Amino acid sequence: MMSSMGILGLQIQQRLPVLGAVSHSCLTNSPKFVHAAAVNSVSSLSRTLKKWNNGGRLPRRLVLGLGASFWVQYTNMAGNSKSFIASARQKGAIEQVLQNAEWPEQFPFKDEDFQRFDESPDSSFYEAPRFVTHIDDPAIAALTKYYSEVFPPSNTPGVSMLDMCSSWVSHFPKGYKQERVVGMGMNEEELKRNPVLTEYVVQDLNVNPKLPFEDNSFDVITNVVSVDYLTKPLDVFKEMCRVLKPGGLAIMSFSNRCFWTKAISIWTSTGDTDHAVIVGSYFHYAGGFEPPQAVDISPNPGRSDPMYIVYSRKLSTA
C-alpha cells in the first residue's frame, strides 16, 4: 500500500506536462464556476515528495501561469466534463487516502501554492449577493443526509454551531435548529437570508483568519465547498481548533466545482483525491485534532456533482 507521505506529493512535479495531456484541468459549464478534474493516478507522488524533502525545485504557481488560450481550450471542452471526471475518478480512493496517514514532519506547501489567478480583494468579488446554489440538487441532498447522521439532535440544549464561509443557505436538515447557529461569510445580504442562522459575522478570512469567538464555543463547524478559497488555511484551522469544544466536530465538504479565479493554485492544479489530502493536511498541521478522515458521499457518480467530506474532531482534554 502506498504511504501517505507519497500521496502528499500531490503530483506537483508532473503538473505542467500532464496538463498538456488534459489530465489535471479545470473544466467549466459556466463562465465563472468550474470543475476541477480528478487525478488519474497517485503513483508518482512518492517520487515528488522525495524531491521536496531533498530540496528539489518543482514547478509551482500553475494557475498563475495559465494563459488565455489555454483557458479557452478547456472551456470549449465543457460539454464532456462530467464523463471525463467519471472515468478519471478512482472508486474508493477518497476513503482510503487518509487512512493510517504518515505525514511529513513539516507542512509541505509553499506560499505560492495559496496564490490565486485573481488576487484582487475578495470583498469586491463577493460584493454582489449570489442567491444560487453551488452544487446540484443530488449533491445537496447527499450533504444534508450526511449532516442528519452526524449532527447533534435538533434543539439540543447548549449546542452551538458555526457555518464558516456561509451564504443564504447552509444545507442543514429541514427544520434543524439549535440555540446558536452562527454564520460567517462575505456577503451580508446572503447571510441575512439564511433561515438557520441565529446570528452572523461578515469577515474575510483571507485578510483576517482570527475567529471572533471565545475558546471552546462550538460543538460543530461546517464549511461547504469553500475550503479551496482559503489562502491562510493553517491559521484558520488553528482558530477552528481553538473555538471548538473538546470533542467538537469540524466538517469540510467539497465537490469538483469552484470559482476558478479565486481558488488556490494547489487546488485548481490537482484532483479530487489530492483535495482530500490537502484538507487532511490542514487538520494535521494545525494541531489539536484527531487524525482526519475522508468520506465519499457522492450520490450518483458520473451523473451528478460528486460530494466529499474530510472531517476531524478536536482532541478531548484529559
Side-chain angles (χ1 to χ4, degrees):
M1 178 179 295
M2 183 180 178
S3 73
S4 61
M5 291 185 65
I7 292 171
L8 200 57
L10 300 175
Q11 292 195 351
I12 293 177
Q13 183 180 12
Q14 296 188 353
R15 286 184 197 171
L16 293 177
V18 172
L19 272 163
V22 199
S23 288
H24 295 291
S25 61
C26 288
L27 305 174
T28 180
N29 58 4
S30 71
K32 295 181 179 179
F33 214 65
V34 305
H35 295 290
V39 175
N40 285 339
S41 168
V42 294
S43 61
S44 69
L45 304 188
S46 180
R47 296 192 301 274
T48 300
L49 188 63
K50 287 180 181 178
K51 274 206 168 187
W52 280 13
N53 292 336
N54 292 333
R57 299 186 63 182
L58 303 174
R60 294 178 180 272
R61 300 181 65 181
L62 173 66
V63 170
L64 302 180
L66 292 178
S69 61
F70 190 85
W71 171 240
V72 169
Q73 174 185 354
Y74 292 121
T75 301
N76 291 337
M77 296 175 60
N80 295 324
S81 61
K82 286 195 175 182
S83 61
F84 169 75
I85 291 167
S87 64
R89 180 177 160 205
Q90 295 183 359
K91 184 175 179 62
I94 295 294
E95 287 86 353
Q96 297 171 15
V97 72
L98 295 179
Q99 293 180 4
N100 303 313
E102 297 177 3
W103 302 96
E105 183 176 349
Q106 301 294 326
F107 188 57
F109 304 121
K110 306 299 182 183
D111 290 346
E112 51 263 44
D113 290 323
F114 301 99
Q115 293 179 323
R116 289 89 52 81
F117 187 83
D118 177 7
E119 291 288 4
S120 64
D122 290 346
S123 57
S124 299
F125 184 82
Y126 295 103
E127 183 177 9
R130 294 179 175 91
F131 296 112
V132 297
T133 53
H134 300 306
I135 47 178
D136 64 18
D137 289 343
I140 291 172
L143 179 60
T144 300
K145 181 177 183 294
Y146 180 83
Y147 281 164
S148 70
E149 295 168 351
V150 300
F151 276 5
S154 187
N155 290 308
T156 300
V159 166
S160 295
M161 319 272 288
L162 172 61
D163 187 29
M164 294 179 60
C165 305
S166 188
S167 65
W168 68 286
V169 61
S170 295
H171 307 309
F172 286 12
K174 184 177 181 179
Y176 188 85
K177 294 182 180 180
Q178 294 296 355
E179 180 178 334
R180 187 185 190 198
V181 181
V182 183
M184 289 192 72
M186 291 289 293
N187 186 279
E188 186 170 13
E189 293 303 312
E190 291 182 19
L191 295 170
K192 284 180 178 179
R193 287 268 297 269
N194 191 321
V196 305
L197 304 182
T198 62
E199 58 188 274
Y200 65 82
V201 177
V202 178
Q203 182 170 321
D204 185 348
L205 293 173
N206 290 339
V207 173
N208 178 19
K210 177 75 173 179
L211 301 182
F213 310 110
E214 296 181 357
D215 297 357
N216 307 319
S217 294
F218 296 101
D219 297 270
V220 177
I221 295 177
T222 57
N223 183 318
V224 181
V225 296
S226 295
V227 68
D228 46 322
Y229 304 122
L230 297 177
T231 62
K232 300 179 175 70
L234 287 191
D235 293 334
V236 172
F237 275 62
K238 288 175 182 177
E239 281 291 285
M240 287 165 48
C241 186
R242 180 182 65 80
V243 303
L244 275 173
K245 299 175 184 178
L249 177 64
I251 304 169
M252 305 291 108
S253 60
F254 54 93
S255 185
N256 61 1
R257 292 177 175 267
C258 64
F259 291 114
W260 176 81
T261 61
K262 282 297 185 180
I264 58 173
S265 174
I266 194 69
W267 194 275
T268 57
S269 55
T270 55
D272 296 341
T273 304
D274 290 333
H275 296 162
V277 179
I278 293 169
V279 179
S281 77
Y282 297 165
F283 279 117
H284 175 79
Y285 291 102
F289 287 102
E290 295 178 356
Q293 300 297 319
V295 183
D296 185 346
I297 61 170
S298 303
N300 304 299
R303 291 176 289 145
S304 63
D305 291 339
M307 203 67 209
Y308 309 110
I309 302 287
V310 175
Y311 68 90
S312 183
R313 290 186 179 273
K314 180 176 177 176
L315 293 171
S316 299
T317 55

